[in-house]
Amino acid sequence: INIIDEVVLSMASHSASSGLGTHGWRTPMDCLRASEVCNQNSQCSSRFRIMRQCLVGRDRTTMLANRECQAALEVLQDSPLYDCRCKRGMKRELQCLQSYWSIHMGLNEELYETSPYEPMHLSDEFRLASIISGNLCSDTGKPCNPCLDAAKACNLNDTCKKQRTALMATCSPATPIQQAQEPCNRKRCHRGLRQFFDRVQTEFSYPLLFCSCRDKACAERRRQTIMPACSFEEKTKSNCLELRRACRSDPLCRSRLADFHMNCQTTPHSITICPNDNYRGCLVSYVGLIGSDVTPNYVDASQTNITISPWCGCRGSGNHEAECEAFLRDFRENTCLRNAIQAFGYGTDAGLVPITESQSAVPSVRTNLQPAIITKHVINSNDVKQIDRACVFSTCANLQVGLKICCRSLHCVILLPSESKAKK
């Protein structure tokens, strides 16, 4: 299809109707390509220029109060820009995301926004990384620190070793005197973190961040992966809504936050509590936030109760305290994220996973969100390893209160509480 045909197709819906329901038949395209198509049409390109001007120095409410901005937005909703998406890590990713938000800033809900990224599928690389992580401590009779083993594996890979050494140099002060004067350059550290996770294969980077721990020494090493003294902690905690506002002023951070909300939202009707039972979608979205204004991390060195949070609180929220608490709860009480981390550490994926029941999380109602898509696959029984000879909670059957499910070679056995005690 040539560019003239694309322009005709993209603007045909506007000639038929100016309503919102005419865009559904179009196949989403790259936002950079969608911008090129729009610029070939005088009506679309003029409205696109107006829309970009509307976004300069204005928040969503102010922008929508302007009639000219409203008119431009209505026209652009019938352009290919409305349905466009971006690829993670693509060339000119920032420019692509800027094109996306030039339309969607005025359309999305206040609390949750639709991700500008294409849906994710379960990859062989991610599956391999999970299996490697689960096999780091295969001998249960010896002391084990999977996070230390992950660091050793990283040092055996040239790219991982090089990037990790550069990260440690960037996020650490050179001398004690410099540490007293200026602990670190946070922006440089955040940039280093983004480069590390962008350039290092997941089979080496993810086991460092999501290793399964049996003691506090291991859990503390896991917590230190992102160099939190520089990248995470501060003397005082910002208000979470202020942190979110700062994040949304940057197209990249805004996109990563929307992606996290979409792929890690608690979904009570799925087996794994994650959208489409896709653990990879949640973990990739979580890693995407590292190195941003909303960088999350483990809050402590607990090996039994995984709690994730950005460095912020809700003091001083005033009338918006409920909204602030909801934002914080999406990290601290996120059952999908917790299950995804534990499943990765155990060396399993969405086909066979450990499940932790939500203790206090309240599922959020989020409309019009299209989460990641999982590609179904056949699980090899060799991929499933016993851990400390204990029963692993599995998705082979629905969990019920008081029941324990043991899986051996993918055959599930439900044990009643009395039988479980007898086994011990």
Side-chain angles (χ1 to χ4, degrees):
I1 186 169
N2 59 41
I3 189 154
I4 296 177
D5 293 331
E6 288 183 354
V7 174
V8 172
L9 287 173
S10 66
M11 299 308 296
S13 59
H14 178 71
S15 61
S17 170
S18 62
L20 303 181
T22 58
H23 60 266
W25 59 272
R26 287 196 303 268
T27 301
M29 67 170 65
D30 180 288
C31 289
L32 294 176
R33 181 59 177 158
S35 299
E36 294 174 1
V37 172
C38 179
N39 288 332
Q40 297 299 317
N41 178 276
S42 58
Q43 185 182 37
C44 184
S45 61
S46 64
R47 297 300 187 276
F48 193 29
R49 285 195 299 271
I50 292 172
M51 199 65 207
R52 286 197 294 254
Q53 293 172 357
C54 290
L55 294 175
V56 177
R58 301 183 185 181
D59 59 21
R60 179 175 180 272
T61 303
T62 304
M63 182 194 72
L64 293 179
N66 185 292
R67 291 184 178 180
E68 190 176 19
C69 295
Q70 284 182 336
L73 183 60
E74 289 176 2
V75 171
L76 291 173
Q77 286 180 70
D78 287 322
S79 78
L81 285 166
Y82 180 85
D83 292 309
C84 72
R85 288 294 182 270
C86 300
K87 293 182 175 66
R88 296 165 185 81
M90 65 182 290
K91 291 183 178 180
R92 300 167 65 197
E93 179 182 356
L94 182 58
Q95 186 177 344
C96 182
L97 295 173
Q98 288 171 335
S99 296
Y100 175 89
W101 290 114
S102 66
I103 305 298
H104 289 268
M105 178 181 172
L107 297 175
N108 286 297
E109 300 175 8
E110 190 65 23
L111 187 58
Y112 300 112
E113 298 179 314
T114 303
S115 172
Y117 292 109
E118 293 181 348
M120 279 180 284
H121 298 264
L122 188 62
S123 69
D124 289 336
E125 181 185 9
F126 178 83
R127 201 174 295 129
L128 173 63
S130 178
I131 293 171
I132 290 174
S133 178
N135 286 335
L136 286 176
C137 288
S138 57
D139 190 347
T140 58
K142 295 181 180 180
C144 175
N145 187 328
C147 295
L148 178 59
D149 290 346
K152 292 177 180 178
C154 175
N155 287 334
L156 293 176
N157 177 268
D158 291 340
T159 301
C160 188
K161 181 180 180 179
K162 179 181 177 181
Q163 293 297 324
R164 188 162 176 258
T165 300
L167 176 64
M168 294 175 69
T170 300
C171 297
S172 300
T175 66
I177 296 177
Q178 287 181 333
Q179 185 174 11
Q181 295 175 348
E182 183 183 1
C184 73
N185 187 318
R186 179 168 295 231
K187 288 187 177 180
R188 286 182 57 201
C189 182
H190 280 176
R191 191 183 310 118
L193 281 168
R194 293 195 299 271
Q195 289 178 353
F196 177 81
F197 287 106
D198 286 344
R199 297 176 181 179
V200 178
Q201 291 178 291
T202 57
E203 63 183 277
F204 298 106
S205 62
Y206 278 36
L208 290 168
L209 192 62
F210 303 126
C211 41
S212 174
C213 290
R214 305 172 186 171
D215 54 54
K216 289 190 175 182
C218 173
E220 177 60 20
R221 175 177 281 274
R222 179 176 61 189
R223 193 185 73 84
Q224 290 291 336
T225 298
I226 67 166
M227 308 290 289
C230 182
S231 68
F232 181 67
E233 300 163 358
E234 292 185 281
K235 292 182 179 179
T236 59
K237 286 190 176 182
S238 302
N239 181 274
C240 290
L241 297 183
E242 291 295 331
L243 201 66
R244 185 185 68 177
R245 190 175 296 112
C247 176
R248 286 186 171 179
S249 67
D250 174 67
L252 181 60
C253 185
R254 183 175 198 153
S255 302
R256 300 298 173 86
L257 182 60
D259 201 49
F260 171 79
H261 283 315
M262 175 174 289
N263 291 309
C264 292
Q265 60 178 302
T266 298
T267 310
H269 300 298
S270 69
I271 296 176
T272 63
I273 317 298
C274 285
N276 288 329
D277 294 320
N278 189 355
Y279 279 159
R280 174 183 182 254
C282 182
L283 293 185
V284 171
S285 298
Y286 171 84
V287 171
L289 277 176
I290 296 176
S292 73
D293 287 332
V294 194
T295 294
N297 196 29
Y298 301 91
V299 299
D300 54 35
S302 173
Q303 75 276 20
T304 57
N305 183 27
I306 294 177
T307 305
I308 300 290
S309 177
W311 189 263
C312 67
C314 289
R315 179 178 296 180
S317 298
N319 295 333
H320 299 283
E321 185 172 358
E323 182 180 355
C324 181
E325 292 290 350
F327 175 83
L328 194 57
R329 191 163 53 244
D330 282 331
F331 290 91
R332 297 183 69 93
E333 301 177 15
N334 192 318
T335 310
C336 167
L337 176 60
R338 188 184 304 124
N339 285 345
I341 292 173
Q342 290 181 334
F344 186 94
Y346 288 143
T348 60
D349 53 38
L352 184 65
V353 296
I355 297 293
T356 60
E357 297 182 17
S358 176
Q359 297 174 352
S360 57
V362 179
S364 302
V365 178
R366 304 169 196 179
T367 58
N368 301 323
L369 295 185
Q370 298 296 324
I373 299 172
I374 187 169
T375 303
K376 299 297 181 183
H377 63 282
V378 178
I379 301 173
N380 191 317
S381 61
N382 292 328
D383 293 347
V384 183
K385 305 294 182 182
Q386 287 187 338
I387 302 169
D388 291 338
R389 302 179 181 177
C391 294
V392 178
F393 287 146
S394 166
T395 60
C396 298
N398 293 327
L399 288 174
Q400 298 181 16
V401 177
L403 298 182
K404 215 174 197 182
I405 302 175
C406 289
C407 288
R408 298 181 182 86
S409 301
L410 296 183
H411 296 290
C412 292
V413 180
I414 301 178
L415 299 180
L416 296 175
S418 58
E419 295 174 323
S420 179
K421 293 178 180 178
K423 289 280 183 181
K424 297 179 182 179

